[in-house]
Amino acid sequence: MGLDFLILYEHVVREYESITLLKLELERRGYTAEIRQLLDRKKIKYFTWKKPKVLVASAMYDNKTMNSFVYNNVGVCNKVVNLHWEQVLSEEQENSPFFNCGESASYALHTCWGTKARDRIVKYGVPIENTVITGPIQMDFLRDQFKGYYKDKDALCREFGLDKEKKLVTYISSFSTAYMTDKEISELNELAGVGFDQFRVTSAKSMNTTLEWVDRYLSSDDGANVEFVYRRHPSEWNSPILSEMRAKHKNFHLITDYSVKQWITRSDVIFTWMSTSIAEIYFAKKSCFVIRPYPVEWEYDPVVYKDCSYIDNYEDFVKCFTADNPPFPVDKDLMLSHYDFDENVPSYIRMADALEQVLQSDEGERRPFDHFTPKFSWLKYFSLIGLHIMYAIKLDPAKLKMFGGLSEWAGRIYGHISKAHVSKETRRRYAENIKKFLPDGKAEVK
C-alpha cells in the first residue's frame, strides 16, 4: 500500500518540531505520512510498495536538489512540495539563481511564509500557480493554542543543571562558516553560486570578538549571576573556541536540545548576530540585542535586518544584561512582510490544505522529471549503509587516518548523520507533546 506523504528534513532543531505538527494534522485528516532524514539509508520500500504519492522536501533549488532529494529517495515522483526552510536571505542570495528555485525545481509547489518570498521566486521564473502562501509553520508554537507547550524556566533549568535563580541568557549563533576549511568553503561557493570567502572572515572575527566579550563578562562579579546558553548554528559543530569557553566557565553552556523557541520563551536576555530566528523572538512577544562587533557586509546580511539597531562595543554589551524593556531592533513592518501571520488560521492548517490539494489534484503541468535526466547515486546508496553501521557502533571514520581524504569526507557525513539523528523515543515524545494541543487528537502516535 502506497504512502500518501513522505516528509524529508535536514536539521532537527530547525524543522523536526514543525514537520511533526504537520504530520499529525495530515494523519488527523485520514492520510498516511512518514518522516525521514535526507541522509537516512535509502530504502527499497519507498521506491516500490510504499512509494509516496507526494514528496515533501526541506528545500528545492534546481536539478541537483530534485535529483538528490527526490529521485535518490523515492525515484520519479512528480508531486513535490518544497517546505522552503531558507526564505529570509541576504540581498546577494536573493539575486542568486540557486536560491530562487529554478530548472526542474520550479515545477514543485513552493510554500512561502509571506509575500516577499513568493514575489521573489516568481520574479525569477517560478509560475505563480506553483506557489502558495502558508505563513511560517514554525511560529504556530507561539500561538495561544500552544500555551504551555514549552517547559517553564524552572523545569528547563532543572533538566540542564542551571541555577534558576540566575538570569537565563541565550545567544543564538549564525557562525556557520567561521571554522570551515578552505575545501568546505569552496564546495559551498560552488553549490550556492555565491562567494562565502569574505563572509567566513567576517564571521570568524565577529565570533571571536563576541566570545571575548562573553569571556570578559563571565569573568566579572556580575557575570557570576547569569547562566549563559550558547545555541550554535546546526552547521557550526567544529569550533574549538566553544570547547575552550565551556572548559573555562562553568556557567557557559553549549546546549542543542530543543528548538530555539523553547529557549527564547524562557530566557531573560537574548542575543543574536544575524539569525533569522529573530522572527521567533518577535512572535514570542519578546525582544533581543543584535551584537555586531564588526559591520556585516550588505551582501551577507539577511534582508530582515536592514537598518537594524545593534551593539558594537563591550560597554554597551554589558548594559544589555540589565536593560528593561529594550526596543525591538528590527523594523516590525519589514518583519511582517516576510512572515504572513494569520491570527485566525494557523500555518500548519494552511500548509496541510496545500499538501492535500496537491495529493488530490492531477499532475497537470507539474512534471519536473520531464525536464531533466535524473541519475541514481549508487555511491551514496552504499556509503550511507556503511556510515549508518559505523554510527550504530560509534566508530567515527574521521579517526581512521589511514584512508586520508576519504576518512575526512566520511567523517563529515558521519557528523551530519549524528547531528540529525532522532531516536524512536524522541520521535514519540515530540508527537505526544504536540498532540495534546491539537483540537481532537485522532492521529495515532507511532
Side-chain angles (χ1 to χ4, degrees):
M1 180 179 180
L3 183 67
D4 291 322
F5 300 95
L6 181 63
I7 306 172
L8 300 179
Y9 73 94
E10 184 176 5
H11 298 299
V12 176
V13 294
R14 183 182 70 180
E15 302 161 43
Y16 203 86
E17 190 173 60
S18 297
I19 60 177
T20 299
L21 171 60
L22 180 60
K23 174 179 180 288
L24 288 172
E25 173 58 23
L26 292 171
E27 291 175 339
R28 188 191 68 80
R29 299 181 184 201
Y31 301 113
T32 56
E34 291 187 14
I35 294 173
R36 299 277 290 170
Q37 210 277 331
L38 285 169
L39 291 174
D40 279 345
R41 291 184 297 109
K42 310 309 175 186
K43 293 193 174 182
I44 294 175
K45 66 179 180 180
Y46 293 117
F47 292 82
T48 53
W49 70 89
K50 213 170 187 180
K51 185 182 179 74
K53 298 172 186 173
V54 180
L55 189 287
V56 186
S58 60
M60 193 51 56
Y61 296 118
D62 54 13
N63 289 347
K64 287 183 179 179
T65 46
M66 181 66 72
N67 190 75
S68 178
F69 291 10
V70 183
Y71 190 72
N72 276 270
N73 284 285
V74 301
V76 173
C77 176
N78 283 315
K79 293 187 175 183
V80 179
V81 177
N82 175 18
L83 293 187
H84 205 179
W85 283 103
E86 294 179 328
Q87 296 193 29
V88 181
L89 308 170
S90 69
E91 191 166 336
E92 184 179 40
Q93 289 171 332
E94 284 197 332
N95 294 309
S96 166
F98 175 77
F99 289 99
N100 286 294
C101 310
E103 299 180 336
S104 63
S106 65
Y107 292 87
L109 177 71
H110 302 271
T111 62
C112 300
W113 298 338
T115 56
K116 287 287 188 181
R118 181 202 60 192
D119 294 347
R120 171 173 54 81
I121 63 175
V122 168
K123 173 185 174 183
Y124 281 89
V126 175
I128 194 167
E129 61 268 23
N130 288 359
T131 67
V132 58
I133 295 177
T134 61
I137 187 173
Q138 66 272 31
M139 304 306 173
D140 284 342
F141 294 94
L142 300 172
R143 292 175 174 272
D144 289 342
Q145 175 184 342
F146 286 88
K147 187 176 181 180
Y149 173 74
Y150 293 113
K151 297 174 183 285
D152 60 28
K153 182 181 176 181
D154 285 3
L156 196 61
C157 289
R158 185 166 56 251
E159 181 172 352
F160 294 99
L162 310 179
D163 187 341
K164 66 179 183 180
E165 301 302 326
K166 295 181 179 181
K167 280 191 174 180
L168 181 58
V169 179
T170 296
Y171 184 90
I172 305 169
S173 170
S174 299
F175 299 122
S176 56
T177 63
Y179 282 86
M180 278 188 176
T181 64
D182 291 343
K183 183 178 181 181
E184 289 172 321
I185 287 292
S186 177
E187 291 173 352
L188 186 60
N189 291 345
E190 183 179 355
L191 174 68
V194 176
F196 284 90
D197 300 84
Q198 181 57 44
F199 182 63
R200 177 174 57 168
V201 174
T202 302
S203 182
K205 286 170 50 181
S206 299
M207 180 181 190
N208 291 337
T209 299
T210 299
L211 287 172
E212 286 174 10
W213 292 357
V214 176
D215 179 28
R216 185 174 168 186
Y217 183 76
L218 295 183
S219 299
S220 69
D221 291 339
D222 290 335
N225 297 317
V226 305
E227 295 283 12
F228 197 99
V229 175
Y230 186 99
R231 294 281 302 181
R232 56 189 172 192
H233 186 276
S235 298
E236 181 191 338
W237 58 282
N238 191 26
S239 303
I241 190 173
L242 296 177
S243 300
E244 294 168 8
M245 285 288 292
R246 181 167 57 179
K248 183 174 181 179
H249 300 284
K250 65 179 182 180
N251 57 338
F252 181 89
H253 312 277
L254 297 176
I255 303 176
T256 57
D257 296 85
Y258 303 127
S259 70
V260 70
K261 292 184 287 296
Q262 168 65 82
W263 296 92
I264 286 171
T265 56
R266 303 310 175 209
S267 292
D268 300 302
V269 182
I270 305 170
F271 294 114
T272 190
W273 178 47
M274 56 184 290
S275 173
T276 54
S277 61
I278 195 167
E280 277 92 335
I281 300 170
Y282 174 78
F283 287 109
K285 299 180 175 59
K286 304 194 77 168
S287 191
C288 65
F289 300 96
V290 178
I291 306 300
R292 295 188 169 182
Y294 307 97
V296 176
E297 293 85 352
W298 67 269
E299 59 263 39
Y300 305 123
D301 206 10
V303 290
V304 76
Y305 279 85
K306 183 178 175 61
D307 298 325
C308 71
S309 301
Y310 59 88
I311 306 297
D312 63 1
N313 62 84
Y314 179 73
E315 290 70 25
D316 287 338
F317 172 70
V318 170
K319 294 176 183 176
C320 298
F321 290 89
T322 54
D324 290 327
N325 300 315
F328 198 74
V330 166
D331 182 80
K332 296 178 181 179
D333 290 335
L334 181 61
M335 179 75 68
L336 292 173
S337 69
H338 287 277
Y339 298 92
D340 186 81
F341 192 84
D342 190 316
E343 294 291 344
N344 299 312
V345 185
S347 293
Y348 79 91
I349 296 292
R350 299 163 72 184
M351 192 169 286
D353 287 345
L355 267 62
E356 188 174 37
Q357 186 173 1
V358 171
L359 178 69
Q360 295 177 353
S361 66
D362 294 331
E363 291 178 1
E365 297 297 320
R366 193 177 291 129
R367 297 181 62 87
F369 287 93
D370 290 350
H371 302 273
F372 80 110
T373 303
K375 183 178 180 181
F376 188 80
S377 175
W378 289 103
L379 174 62
K380 180 179 287 186
Y381 178 85
F382 288 112
S383 62
L384 284 175
I385 292 175
L387 286 167
H388 275 275
I389 291 173
M390 297 180 83
Y391 175 73
I393 63 176
K394 304 304 177 187
L395 177 60
D396 186 346
K399 297 177 181 178
L400 304 177
K401 301 297 184 182
M402 74 283 290
F403 294 110
L406 180 60
S407 292
E408 180 185 346
W409 171 83
R412 283 165 50 199
I413 303 301
Y414 178 95
H416 289 305
I417 290 172
S418 176
K419 287 184 300 175
H421 176 71
V422 181
S423 68
K424 288 184 179 180
E425 178 56 34
T426 301
R427 293 199 298 267
R428 184 174 183 83
R429 188 166 63 248
Y430 266 112
E432 288 179 341
N433 288 344
I434 292 171
K435 189 179 177 185
K436 297 173 187 174
F437 298 88
L438 298 183
D440 48 35
K442 292 179 180 178
E444 180 184 357
V445 177
K446 300 179 181 178

